[in-house]
């Protein structure tokens, strides 16, 4: 009995078994599961699982392709995987935002039970993809989470980022552009701006 791959979509494959004696061919069998999207055809869970793993690690598309090649696994197309990764990042961002709103509501309920009103202790810090240096600025991204310090759980209640990078070589404010921090602005000054955005986010969602 031999098995031949008849269709490949990234890591998801469909195949057919063929008898080596009588050459009887089976019907095509999907060796993966799929789920429906809001628009377009069904997508394979393996491809989305790979994209989700990349969002939770420091590996990029090229790194993932190298790992799979070393394991003798035919890697997905790089452009398709990058597109899938961008879509997954948007979905994860929406999930994280909903989770932070739930954390805000939890802290508010705790304060209500304690009789402490709306006063909440907050902690925040900002990190950069390159350490800021005097006279030279290599950083292009910054990351500023805000956590509550009123409960032992230390929940994240807001998170803002600054990004000077764009996927296009010539960024001209195109649709869905991920560059939302001006190139001429110093990334070192993003700490104060992101602090203001964090506070605005909390005030908007909790009201």
């Amino acid at each position: 009995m031999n098995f031949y791959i008849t269709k490949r979509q990234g890591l998801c494959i469909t195949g057919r078994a063929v008898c080596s004696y009588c050459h009887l061919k089976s019907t095509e069998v999907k060796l993966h599961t799929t789920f429906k999207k809001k628009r377009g055809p069904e997508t394979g869970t393996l491809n989305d699982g790979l994209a989700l793993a990349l969002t939770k690690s420091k590996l990029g598309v090229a790194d993932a392709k190298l790992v799979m090649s070393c394991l003798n696994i035919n890697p997905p197309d790089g452009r398709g995987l990058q597109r899938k990764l961008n879509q997954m990042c948007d979905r994860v961002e929406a999930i994280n935002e909903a989770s932070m709103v739930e954390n805000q509501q939890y802290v508010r309920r705790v304060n209500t039970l304690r009789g402490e009103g709306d006063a909440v202790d907050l902690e925040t810090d900002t990190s950069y993809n390159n350490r800021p240096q005097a006279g030279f600025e290599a950083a292009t991204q910054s990351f500023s989470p805000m956590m509550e310090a009123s409960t032992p759980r230390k929940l994240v209640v807001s998170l803002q980022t600054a990004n000077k990078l764009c996927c296009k070589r010539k960024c001209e404010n195109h649709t869905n552009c991920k560059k939302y921090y001006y190139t001429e602005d110093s990334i070192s000054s993003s700490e104060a701006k992101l602090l203001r955005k964090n506070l605005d986010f909390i005030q908007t969602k909790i009201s």
Side-chain angles (χ1 to χ4, degrees):
M1 183 72 69
N2 298 317
F3 186 83
Y4 300 95
I5 297 176
T6 58
K7 187 177 181 181
R8 183 187 297 273
Q9 292 179 317
L11 296 178
C12 303
I13 60 174
T14 301
R16 185 194 305 272
V18 180
C19 180
S20 56
Y21 293 100
C22 64
H23 304 292
L24 178 66
K25 297 181 180 180
S26 69
T27 57
E28 290 188 345
V29 179
K30 287 184 177 180
L31 299 182
H32 61 277
T33 56
T34 60
F35 65 92
K36 292 183 178 180
K37 300 187 296 183
K38 292 183 179 179
R39 293 182 298 177
E42 294 183 347
T43 183
T45 54
L46 284 176
N47 295 327
D48 280 54
L50 175 60
L52 179 60
L54 292 180
T55 63
K56 302 295 290 184
S57 69
K58 295 183 178 181
L59 293 177
V61 173
D63 300 321
K65 294 183 65 176
L66 176 61
V67 170
M68 286 184 283
S69 297
C70 293
L71 296 176
N72 199 24
I73 300 174
N74 192 5
D77 174 64
R79 296 181 63 181
L81 183 56
Q82 183 64 58
R83 184 167 56 252
K84 179 75 69 175
L85 180 59
N86 294 339
Q87 296 171 355
M88 182 61 66
C89 288
D90 293 336
R91 291 160 59 184
V92 171
E93 182 180 355
I95 294 173
N96 287 341
E97 182 174 327
S99 177
M100 289 185 291
V101 172
E102 290 182 0
N103 292 342
Q104 295 174 16
Q105 295 171 348
Y106 170 80
V107 176
R108 190 174 191 176
R109 289 196 301 270
V110 171
N111 271 14
T112 301
L113 294 174
R114 288 175 173 175
E116 297 180 358
D118 295 331
V120 179
D121 296 328
L122 298 173
E123 297 177 351
T124 185
D125 196 7
T126 303
S127 60
Y128 306 86
N129 61 339
N130 282 288
R131 183 171 58 88
Q133 302 177 21
F136 177 73
E137 187 173 85
T140 54
Q141 296 172 319
S142 62
F143 167 84
S144 180
M146 179 170 284
M147 296 166 290
E148 55 84 19
S150 297
T151 71
R153 299 178 65 180
K154 307 293 184 182
L155 298 172
V156 178
V157 293
S158 182
L159 186 149
Q160 299 294 330
T161 59
N163 179 36
K164 287 186 175 184
L165 302 179
C166 178
C167 60
K168 294 184 178 295
R169 182 172 299 179
K170 294 183 179 180
C171 178
E172 298 177 353
N173 297 324
H174 55 88
T175 306
N176 297 326
C177 181
K178 299 299 182 182
K179 177 183 177 181
Y180 40 84
Y181 199 81
Y182 293 115
T183 306
E184 57 271 15
D185 290 348
S186 173
I187 198 72
S188 300
S189 63
S190 64
E191 183 171 5
K193 296 178 181 179
L194 296 183
L195 172 61
R196 182 71 263 173
K197 286 186 177 181
N198 276 324
L199 295 176
D200 290 341
F201 175 80
I202 294 175
Q203 291 176 352
T204 301
K205 298 299 181 180
I206 204 66
S207 59

